[in-house]
Tab-separated table of all heavy atoms in Angstrom:
chain	number	residue	atom	x	y	z
A	106	TRP	N	97.168	34.146	-36.385
A	106	TRP	CA	97.184	34.039	-37.882
A	106	TRP	C	96.890	35.425	-38.358
A	106	TRP	O	96.280	36.301	-37.666
A	106	TRP	CB	96.095	33.135	-38.465
A	106	TRP	CG	96.346	31.687	-38.122
A	106	TRP	CD1	96.331	31.068	-36.914
A	106	TRP	CD2	96.716	30.657	-39.093
A	106	TRP	NE1	96.514	29.752	-37.034
A	106	TRP	CE2	96.823	29.482	-38.358
A	106	TRP	CE3	96.907	30.649	-40.393
A	106	TRP	CZ2	97.189	28.269	-38.944
A	106	TRP	CZ3	97.251	29.553	-41.074
A	106	TRP	CH2	97.362	28.321	-40.339
A	107	ILE	N	97.335	35.761	-39.606
A	107	ILE	CA	96.984	37.013	-40.252
A	107	ILE	C	96.129	36.780	-41.507
A	107	ILE	O	96.497	35.999	-42.356
A	107	ILE	CB	98.334	37.781	-40.647
A	107	ILE	CG1	99.282	37.952	-39.480
A	107	ILE	CG2	97.938	39.136	-41.346
A	107	ILE	CD1	98.719	38.913	-38.361
A	108	ARG	N	95.028	37.462	-41.534
A	108	ARG	CA	94.168	37.410	-42.634
A	108	ARG	C	94.387	38.595	-43.484
A	108	ARG	O	94.274	39.753	-43.154
A	108	ARG	CB	92.747	37.303	-42.141
A	108	ARG	CG	91.658	37.350	-43.310
A	108	ARG	CD	91.605	35.978	-44.010
A	108	ARG	NE	90.471	35.916	-44.900
A	108	ARG	CZ	90.152	34.798	-45.544
A	108	ARG	NH1	90.764	33.687	-45.245
A	108	ARG	NH2	89.044	34.871	-46.436
A	109	ASP	N	94.669	38.312	-44.835
A	109	ASP	CA	94.746	39.434	-45.876
A	109	ASP	C	93.474	39.494	-46.515
A	109	ASP	O	93.108	38.560	-47.269
A	109	ASP	CB	95.870	39.167	-46.837
A	109	ASP	CG	96.170	40.269	-47.747
A	109	ASP	OD1	95.106	40.784	-48.333
A	109	ASP	OD2	97.335	40.516	-48.151
A	110	LEU	N	92.691	40.510	-46.246
A	110	LEU	CA	91.317	40.587	-46.725
A	110	LEU	C	91.319	40.772	-48.355
A	110	LEU	O	90.456	40.322	-48.960
A	110	LEU	CB	90.547	41.826	-46.068
A	110	LEU	CG	90.312	41.648	-44.650
A	110	LEU	CD1	89.456	42.860	-44.139
A	110	LEU	CD2	89.716	40.403	-44.181
A	111	GLY	N	92.321	41.523	-48.845
A	111	GLY	CA	92.369	41.582	-50.293
A	111	GLY	C	92.559	40.369	-51.036
A	111	GLY	O	91.935	40.083	-51.971
A	112	ALA	N	93.480	39.563	-50.512
A	112	ALA	CA	93.849	38.324	-51.174
A	112	ALA	C	93.051	37.179	-50.625
A	112	ALA	O	93.079	36.073	-51.293
A	112	ALA	CB	95.370	37.974	-51.021
A	113	LYS	N	92.315	37.460	-49.618
A	113	LYS	CA	91.451	36.361	-48.959
A	113	LYS	C	92.353	35.213	-48.664
A	113	LYS	O	91.956	33.942	-48.888
A	113	LYS	CB	90.341	35.949	-49.839
A	113	LYS	CG	89.326	37.036	-50.084
A	113	LYS	CD	88.187	36.523	-50.897
A	113	LYS	CE	87.111	37.670	-51.086
A	113	LYS	NZ	85.892	37.299	-51.905
A	114	SER	N	93.595	35.393	-48.087
A	114	SER	CA	94.489	34.413	-47.704
A	114	SER	C	94.845	34.555	-46.273
A	114	SER	O	94.780	35.536	-45.637
A	114	SER	CB	95.707	34.497	-48.649
A	114	SER	OG	96.345	35.708	-48.472
A	115	ASP	N	95.331	33.400	-45.689
A	115	ASP	CA	95.751	33.375	-44.286
A	115	ASP	C	97.261	32.980	-44.208
A	115	ASP	O	97.686	32.145	-44.885
A	115	ASP	CB	94.899	32.346	-43.524
A	115	ASP	CG	93.409	32.704	-43.543
A	115	ASP	OD1	92.981	33.545	-42.896
A	115	ASP	OD2	92.738	31.986	-44.225
A	116	ARG	N	97.898	33.590	-43.138
A	116	ARG	CA	99.230	33.348	-42.992
A	116	ARG	C	99.439	33.100	-41.476
A	116	ARG	O	99.101	33.950	-40.618
A	116	ARG	CB	100.070	34.441	-43.421
A	116	ARG	CG	101.621	34.419	-43.021
A	116	ARG	CD	102.344	35.525	-43.691
A	116	ARG	NE	101.822	36.881	-43.436
A	116	ARG	CZ	102.282	37.617	-42.379
A	116	ARG	NH1	103.141	37.195	-41.514
A	116	ARG	NH2	101.797	38.841	-42.201
A	117	PHE	N	100.094	31.864	-41.155
A	117	PHE	CA	100.399	31.643	-39.749
A	117	PHE	C	101.564	32.533	-39.246
A	117	PHE	O	102.621	32.615	-39.997
A	117	PHE	CB	100.696	30.235	-39.444
A	117	PHE	CG	101.048	29.934	-37.993
A	117	PHE	CD1	100.021	29.912	-37.103
A	117	PHE	CD2	102.300	29.574	-37.628
A	117	PHE	CE1	100.282	29.701	-35.718
A	117	PHE	CE2	102.520	29.338	-36.340
A	117	PHE	CZ	101.566	29.308	-35.392
A	118	LEU	N	101.437	33.193	-38.104
A	118	LEU	CA	102.500	34.203	-37.569
A	118	LEU	C	103.355	33.522	-36.464
A	118	LEU	O	104.535	33.348	-36.595
A	118	LEU	CB	101.935	35.415	-37.203
A	118	LEU	CG	102.889	36.561	-36.715
A	118	LEU	CD1	103.829	36.945	-37.870
A	118	LEU	CD2	102.133	37.778	-36.177
A	119	VAL	N	102.626	33.115	-35.348
A	119	VAL	CA	103.480	32.676	-34.293
A	119	VAL	C	102.546	31.797	-33.420
A	119	VAL	O	101.349	32.045	-33.287
A	119	VAL	CB	103.938	33.851	-33.482
A	119	VAL	CG1	102.918	34.710	-32.886
A	119	VAL	CG2	105.012	33.539	-32.422
A	120	ALA	N	103.183	30.838	-32.699
A	120	ALA	CA	102.535	30.036	-31.798
A	120	ALA	C	102.365	30.775	-30.435
A	120	ALA	O	103.243	31.626	-30.034
A	120	ALA	CB	103.408	28.735	-31.480
A	121	THR	N	101.216	30.576	-29.681
A	121	THR	CA	101.067	31.308	-28.463
A	121	THR	C	100.737	30.278	-27.406
A	121	THR	O	99.587	30.067	-26.916
A	121	THR	CB	99.864	32.234	-28.651
A	121	THR	OG1	98.691	31.581	-28.996
A	121	THR	CG2	100.183	33.387	-29.534
A	122	PRO	N	101.793	29.501	-26.916
A	122	PRO	CA	101.432	28.432	-25.865
A	122	PRO	C	100.927	29.111	-24.563
A	122	PRO	O	101.265	30.193	-24.153
A	122	PRO	CB	102.786	27.841	-25.668
A	122	PRO	CG	103.866	28.869	-26.041
A	122	PRO	CD	103.188	29.574	-27.224
A	123	GLN	N	99.998	28.396	-23.974
A	123	GLN	CA	99.331	28.806	-22.778
A	123	GLN	C	99.318	27.793	-21.703
A	123	GLN	O	99.544	26.572	-21.945
A	123	GLN	CB	97.886	29.272	-22.930
A	123	GLN	CG	97.705	30.331	-24.120
A	123	GLN	CD	98.130	31.709	-23.659
A	123	GLN	OE1	98.306	32.002	-22.486
A	123	GLN	NE2	98.389	32.640	-24.619
A	124	THR	N	99.129	28.253	-20.352
A	124	THR	CA	98.869	27.293	-19.362
A	124	THR	C	97.469	27.429	-18.872
A	124	THR	O	96.809	28.430	-19.248
A	124	THR	CB	99.839	27.519	-18.132
A	124	THR	OG1	99.390	28.731	-17.464
A	124	THR	CG2	101.315	27.675	-18.528
A	125	ASP	N	96.984	26.524	-18.006
A	125	ASP	CA	95.669	26.606	-17.515
A	125	ASP	C	95.632	27.393	-16.203
A	125	ASP	O	94.665	27.418	-15.638
A	125	ASP	CB	95.237	25.166	-17.240
A	125	ASP	CG	93.657	25.046	-16.971
A	125	ASP	OD1	93.028	25.786	-17.578
A	125	ASP	OD2	93.339	24.117	-16.180
Side-chain angles (χ1 to χ4, degrees):
W106 293 70
I107 305 292
R108 177 75 172 189
D109 187 318
L110 297 185
K113 296 185 179 180
S114 62
D115 301 285
R116 170 172 57 89
F117 180 71
L118 182 65
V119 66
T121 56
Q123 302 289 344
T124 76
D125 194 29

